[in-house]
Amino acid sequence: MASPGFWTIGSLLLALFLVNSVTAQTPVSSSAASTTSANVNGFVYGYSWQNDSYVGTPRDSFIPSSSYWLQNIKRQGTIPYAQYSRFNATSNSSYPVFRNVMHYGAYGDGVHDDTMAIQQALNGTLDAKTRCGQGCDSSTTTPAIVYFPAGTYMISSALVMYYYTQLIGDATNLPTIKGMKKYNGAYLLDPDPYSYGGASWFTNQNNFYRQVRNFILDTTLMANDAHGVHWQVSQATSLQNIVFNLVEGSQQTAVWMDNGSSTFFGDLIINGGGTGMFMGNQQYTIRNVTFNNVGTAIYQNWGWVWLYKNLVFNNCTIGLDMSSGASVGNGIQVPGALAMQDSVFYNTTVGVYTTWSQGSTPVSAGALVLDNVDMRGTQIAVNGTEGQVVVPGNTYVDHYIQGEAFTSYFNTSYFIIDGVNKTCLEPGATGVRIQQLTPGPDRPDVLTKGSPDNPNGAKFYATRYKPQYEGVDVSKFVSVKDNGCVGDGVADDTQCIQNILNNATPDQVIYFDHGAYVIRETIKVPANRRMTGEIWPMIMVDGSAPAFSDMNNPQPAWQVGQPGDIGMLEMSDIVFETLGPAPGAIMVQWNIEGTNPGDAGMWDVHWRIGGTAGTKLQADTCLKNPTVSHASNPACIGSFMLLHVTPTGSIYMENNWGWVADHELDMDPYIGQQIDIYNGRGVLIEGDRGNWLVGTGFEHSTLYNYQVANADYVYLGAIQAETAYMQANPQALDPFMPVANYSDPFFSECSQNVCYKTYGLIVSNSNNVFVYGAGLYSFFDNYDQGCLITENCQQFMIMLENSSSIYLYNPYTKAAANIIAIDGVAVMGNGCGDGVRLETHAGNACWKRMLETHAGNACWKRMHGVGV
């Protein structure tokens, strides 16, 4: 049990968002959005680019010169698993990973219709059979970077982004994609188009791996209701460094999002339009967006947990509209739990429009947190139901909460047990439903160092945009293939990579050409190194190597810095995978501390354990088997841990996804079928140097997805996790047993199978942890979804132990009977008692379930009048 001094937890849970049925909310909002989208852009086969006779004439001699390294670097990327491709990409040497649209016949002159030329670059061939499009659903074997030199590219119908595609423009001179006056469809870009009948090309929750960056998207010639991007995507996707030019006073929208399960986009400017962003997705972090002269900057159509940070509103009518689903008097809330942070309004009529009230339903929906938001430039800061002014204009909002606010406490009792005086401490939490300005937590200097001030003087949390090296000459890029690495998924590239890292200088950028680079020993990354990849090259950790085969002696595969290192380290656009089971591999160990916040970080770096070509952890070996009680399959074990930020480490992370595969992406005939992969741990954060995780997701490890242990000064916003689907067949303790040195949970609070499941978040022996949004979901019990009806797929989701100053905003859990436990005692249930904390009388079924998990705790039982 914790001592009283460690349990002054201020504002443990603010704007709590719980629902009786998470899945029931999605169709309410997404169905309407989907129907609208299907009607306006619903006949993909009618698009003008689908002309099988079109052959673009290469215009390489007309490509404008640029200093941008990405345009000029030698192209050596290959597809290492072409032999596993379901398409006609049988030669890994001839397949073009990089495609310059002018090579495919685009003019970029602002006159010619470039639609078919660009789409041919996206497709790869005339019949598109080398890439994953309609009916494919997923494939990682044939990626493509489609590059746009500077220019203005006129199009007459949507450009369809196939699976595993990056659209990248010249970062030194942004190209423009502009819709023509005669336009077929509603969007400029579409990664998940609708066909006849409203069916989408890809399963929206599984629509992974897309990027769009460095563009001007222009709809000023298009219809009054045109949209810039139809962004119905999931994890490992992003929009970055884009300017949207829309018609002022129109009904046009820059970003139209109707479904999905994604994590991040940012660095956008939206000029004009009726709605800047029409938002509908499970969870998101959106950073650094400026709205200029927009009617409604953000319309939140639906969403579970969202964080908006570093937004600027200029001359808008409404900043954020949360009224979806509501009409006068019905009080229905469709948006879930939202937070807006470190943002500023100028000359805006209404900052936030909400229909939340004390009687609105669901009782936990419509939650809102405003944190360090300067609303002095609004006429009304927060406008409520039927015109009620909740917060007047011309107000600086230090902190505002709309929803359920909870504070933890401890009851103290004194007993004599076995002749010894005992002090019994029982944790609990009290909550109240509020809608008001309220004091917020003090922000530690460690987390705000070097960040800009809000106009009122308050410090922002530190952020850092993704480096694109637009000012670095191509001569400073060191290609790993130029220096002898093979990247074919077979050859051992360990020594080659290590030599390159050792010999590189801080002014150089190490460039991983697309490929699969096998490592068999620990790679030691020195301080002051920069590296980036060509559309997510794969670092393959070979589990057959002795270094990574023993779960009782785990070793780092990719060791970033040494303990005590301070300096710079940048990584972007790389994927870490295992080659077969690697139970002794800590995939990435992070030891370095940045000189300043953001100096040491990773952007668009992902982990992908199993489910794809080359991993040997695929459906032919690891297909689910829920009908038979079984132990873990040794052939389907992933890694020991995905990421360990050690006590000396400090990391800035943005748009990172640690995915332990729950289904097959590449192998026919198993595409989309569920698989069992056993990965020990997600991310473990230790230390007190400051850590920032912005828009991250870690899913399906066995013991936990996120853990903050022995740490201080940690910022998490927003995070997303899912419990391993196969649990509790077997339980969380199979195959990885807890290791005290890694602060693992021992599940001593458990006495029934439903308890032995992946923790979404653990905070232990830590202080000053700030969580701004946590979507933590449990959708199955041994692949059975009957537990969704009773909201009891697992017993505990969040565990807090011996910690103080923990600020947990907008936790959104699915099917966890108890959302939060302190020292193994449930303090906040989902559907038990009053929904705030479990009652402690013998006739309460929730209390009885709680008692079952503490059968061995004599002090706890004595406190509740239970015989010991």
Side-chain angles (χ1 to χ4, degrees):
M1 301 295 288
S3 63
F6 283 92
W7 280 110
T8 307
I9 299 186
S11 302
L12 169 66
L13 183 58
L14 301 182
L16 172 67
F17 183 26
L18 312 173
V19 295
N20 291 327
S21 178
V22 170
T23 53
Q25 284 209 354
T26 308
V28 172
S29 50
S30 62
S31 175
S34 300
T35 301
T36 303
S37 301
N39 288 340
V40 298
N41 202 17
F43 36 92
V44 170
Y45 284 121
Y47 283 1
S48 61
W49 55 262
Q50 251 161 333
N51 181 345
D52 290 339
S53 64
Y54 176 82
V55 178
T57 301
R59 305 187 72 254
D60 295 6
S61 61
F62 295 93
I63 297 173
S65 62
S66 173
S67 61
Y68 190 31
W69 67 270
L70 187 63
Q71 179 169 315
N72 301 316
I73 198 167
K74 182 169 65 172
R75 293 294 156 191
Q76 302 177 88
T78 56
I79 50 173
Y81 301 116
Q83 67 271 30
Y84 302 116
S85 173
R86 311 197 306 277
F87 315 106
N88 294 332
T90 56
S91 171
N92 61 7
S93 60
S94 61
Y95 177 88
V97 173
F98 180 86
R99 298 114 185 271
N100 188 315
V101 296
M102 295 189 76
H103 177 74
Y104 290 80
Y107 281 77
D109 61 359
V111 178
H112 287 81
D113 184 349
D114 287 325
T115 310
M116 287 188 287
I118 297 170
Q119 194 63 53
Q120 186 180 347
L122 285 159
N123 296 354
T125 62
L126 290 181
D127 58 9
K129 289 183 180 178
T130 62
R131 306 222 51 229
C132 181
Q134 188 177 29
C136 164
D137 207 51
S138 64
S139 173
T140 69
T141 59
T142 53
I145 294 176
V146 178
Y147 177 76
F148 292 69
T152 298
Y153 298 85
M154 306 300 294
I155 61 173
S156 56
S157 66
L159 302 176
V160 178
M161 296 177 62
Y162 281 46
Y163 198 92
Y164 228 87
T165 297
Q166 294 180 355
L167 264 61
I168 305 177
D170 184 343
T172 67
N173 188 2
L174 300 186
T176 297
I177 298 176
K178 189 170 184 175
M180 303 179 76
K181 190 170 184 179
K182 291 184 177 180
Y183 200 86
N184 180 12
Y187 311 108
L188 293 176
L189 307 179
D190 196 345
D192 195 10
Y194 290 96
S195 55
Y196 289 110
S200 57
W201 277 25
F202 303 100
T203 303
N204 66 79
Q205 299 94 332
N206 301 334
N207 198 16
F208 311 140
Y209 301 109
R210 307 290 204 291
Q211 277 187 13
V212 181
R213 50 187 163 110
N214 311 330
F215 287 98
I216 298 171
L217 300 181
D218 192 323
T219 62
T220 55
L221 297 180
M222 296 171 65
N224 187 61
D225 58 353
H227 310 304
V229 178
H230 176 220
W231 201 240
Q232 182 170 257
V233 294
S234 194
Q235 290 90 344
T237 61
S238 63
L239 303 171
Q240 182 197 2
N241 194 27
I242 301 173
V243 177
F244 292 86
N245 289 331
L246 316 178
V247 176
E248 287 189 27
S250 69
Q251 298 178 34
Q252 293 182 348
T253 302
V255 181
W256 181 283
M257 180 188 301
D258 36 5
N259 286 297
S261 178
S262 194
T263 55
F264 177 85
F265 69 69
D267 304 317
L268 312 180
I269 297 174
I270 298 175
N271 299 315
T275 303
M277 303 191 306
F278 181 94
M279 299 283 94
N281 200 286
Q282 291 181 11
Q283 65 282 313
Y284 242 107
T285 298
I286 294 176
R287 180 189 57 72
N288 189 29
V289 180
T290 297
F291 302 90
N292 298 315
N293 305 305
V294 183
T296 297
I298 304 169
Y299 182 81
Q300 193 72 43
N301 188 44
W302 73 280
W304 295 351
V305 55
W306 285 59
L307 171 61
Y308 293 102
K309 60 188 280 94
N310 308 101
L311 307 185
V312 178
F313 303 86
N314 294 311
N315 304 310
C316 299
T317 304
I318 299 175
L320 169 62
D321 187 341
M322 298 176 61
S323 67
S324 176
S327 60
V328 175
N330 74 1
I332 296 174
Q333 305 287 294
V334 172
L338 280 64
M340 184 184 295
Q341 182 179 80
D342 295 345
S343 299
V344 185
F345 288 80
Y346 299 102
N347 194 28
T348 295
T349 307
V350 175
V352 177
Y353 176 54
T354 174
T355 55
W356 186 96
S357 68
Q358 289 291 340
S360 58
T361 58
V363 295
S364 49
L368 174 66
V369 174
L370 300 176
D371 182 46
N372 189 30
V373 180
D374 190 339
M375 308 184 83
R376 291 178 292 184
T378 64
Q379 296 179 28
I380 300 174
V382 180
N383 200 30
T385 305
E386 300 182 18
Q388 172 197 5
V389 177
V390 180
V391 179
N394 193 26
T395 301
Y396 164 69
V397 177
D398 172 64
H399 216 63
Y400 168 89
I401 298 172
Q402 170 177 298
E404 306 283 347
F406 293 80
T407 302
S408 70
Y409 62 85
F410 266 89
N411 283 326
T412 305
S413 298
Y414 304 94
F415 298 102
I416 297 176
I417 300 177
D418 299 328
V420 179
N421 292 325
K422 294 286 187 178
T423 300
C424 289
L425 304 173
E426 182 198 24
T430 57
V432 60
R433 190 169 169 85
I434 64 175
Q435 186 181 36
Q436 64 188 51
L437 298 171
T438 183
D442 293 332
R443 296 185 173 191
D445 291 341
V446 172
L447 295 177
T448 62
K449 178 183 176 184
S451 65
D453 294 343
N454 196 305
N456 80 312
K459 283 286 189 181
F460 288 9
Y461 285 112
T463 61
R464 166 83 190 277
Y465 65 86
K466 176 183 175 178
Q468 296 202 69
Y469 308 115
E470 55 267 47
V472 179
D473 188 78
V474 68
S475 64
K476 294 294 185 181
F477 282 75
V478 179
S479 162
V480 296
K481 288 196 172 180
D482 269 348
N483 286 270
C485 297
V486 180
D488 64 355
V490 178
D492 185 352
D493 283 320
T494 308
Q495 194 58 53
C496 174
I497 294 173
Q498 190 63 66
N499 291 341
I500 294 169
L501 289 166
N502 291 345
N503 296 328
T505 57
D507 63 333
Q508 293 178 320
V509 179
I510 299 166
Y511 182 67
F512 284 84
D513 313 86
H514 189 78
Y517 300 88
V518 176
I519 61 172
R520 307 192 78 247
E521 296 178 3
T522 298
I523 296 292
K524 297 182 178 181
V525 181
N528 302 311
R529 296 295 184 268
R530 301 184 291 182
M531 62 197 77
T532 191
E534 181 183 32
I535 192 163
W536 300 300
M538 295 153 282
I539 306 298
M540 307 291 292
V541 179
D542 187 352
S544 68
F548 308 128
S549 61
D550 185 359
M551 69 171 62
N552 297 312
N553 184 29
Q555 300 296 317
W558 195 264
Q559 186 180 62
V560 181
Q562 297 299 310
D565 280 354
I566 299 176
M568 173 271 294
L569 198 295
E570 297 172 355
M571 294 173 56
S572 59
D573 293 285
I574 293 172
V575 168
F576 290 93
E577 295 189 311
T578 67
L579 179 58
I586 299 172
M587 298 296 284
V588 178
Q589 182 191 79
W590 196 274
N591 298 301
I592 190 171
E593 174 189 357
T595 305
N596 296 297
D599 284 353
M602 55 173 66
W603 297 259
D604 292 287
V605 172
H606 309 300
W607 294 257
R608 190 171 63 213
I609 308 299
T612 58
T615 63
K616 299 182 180 179
L617 303 174
Q618 295 187 261
D620 59 338
T621 302
C622 303
L623 200 65
K624 71 176 182 179
N625 186 20
T627 60
V628 177
S629 179
H630 61 84
S632 60
N633 182 351
C636 299
I637 295 176
S639 72
F640 183 87
M641 182 186 297
L642 299 184
L643 171 63
H644 183 196
V645 183
T646 67
T648 68
S650 173
I651 192 170
Y652 179 86
M653 299 178 66
E654 189 171 275
N655 198 28
N656 308 106
W657 184 35
W659 188 55
V660 180
D662 60 84
H663 65 279
E664 175 65 47
L665 296 186
D666 284 330
M667 180 179 285
D668 269 341
Y670 303 104
I671 302 302
Q673 293 194 34
Q674 293 171 318
I675 57 177
D676 289 350
I677 306 295
Y678 305 93
N679 192 83
R681 302 146 186 88
V683 54
L684 170 62
I685 301 172
E686 299 180 301
D688 59 0
R689 315 298 172 88
N691 291 280
W692 302 259
L693 276 65
V694 179
T696 64
F698 284 84
E699 303 186 278
H700 312 136
S701 286
T702 58
L703 295 176
Y704 62 81
N705 288 313
Y706 287 86
Q707 181 169 198
V708 178
N710 310 305
D712 208 345
Y713 311 123
V714 178
Y715 176 98
L716 305 175
I719 64 173
Q720 181 260 335
E722 290 183 1
T723 297
Y725 292 0
M726 84 290 288
Q727 291 177 350
N729 182 22
Q731 296 179 345
L733 298 178
D734 181 2
F736 290 93
M737 294 298 293
V739 180
N741 288 343
Y742 289 95
S743 302
D744 285 341
F746 280 75
F747 294 87
S748 57
E749 65 277 8
C750 294
S751 63
Q752 48 189 318
N753 275 344
V754 74
C755 183
Y756 290 94
K757 294 197 172 186
T758 314
Y759 272 104
L761 170 65
I762 301 173
V763 179
S764 61
N765 302 302
S766 298
N767 309 293
N768 295 301
V769 178
F770 301 82
V771 184
Y772 293 93
L776 311 174
Y777 316 130
S778 187
F779 292 119
F780 300 92
D781 184 21
N782 187 25
Y783 293 102
D784 185 354
Q785 292 195 301
C787 58
L788 297 178
I789 299 173
T790 57
E791 296 293 333
N792 190 26
C793 292
Q794 73 182 72
Q795 192 158 7
F796 299 110
M797 185 61 76
I798 300 172
M799 179 66 75
L800 308 176
E801 298 178 316
N802 199 34
S803 300
S804 65
S805 298
I806 310 301
Y807 298 89
L808 179 54
Y809 296 82
N810 294 345
Y812 190 114
T813 67
K814 178 60 187 171
N818 302 299
I819 300 165
I820 297 176
I822 297 176
D823 283 352
V825 178
V827 299
M828 201 164 297
N830 183 4
C832 288
D834 59 6
V836 176
R837 62 175 294 231
L838 300 180
E839 299 294 334
T840 56
H841 50 78
N844 188 296
C846 293
W847 178 84
K848 290 180 178 178
R849 188 166 67 231
M850 184 175 174
L851 173 63
E852 290 172 2
T853 68
H854 293 276
N857 189 326
C859 184
W860 187 90
K861 293 167 76 174
R862 182 68 59 87
M863 190 171 187
H864 288 273
V866 180
V868 295

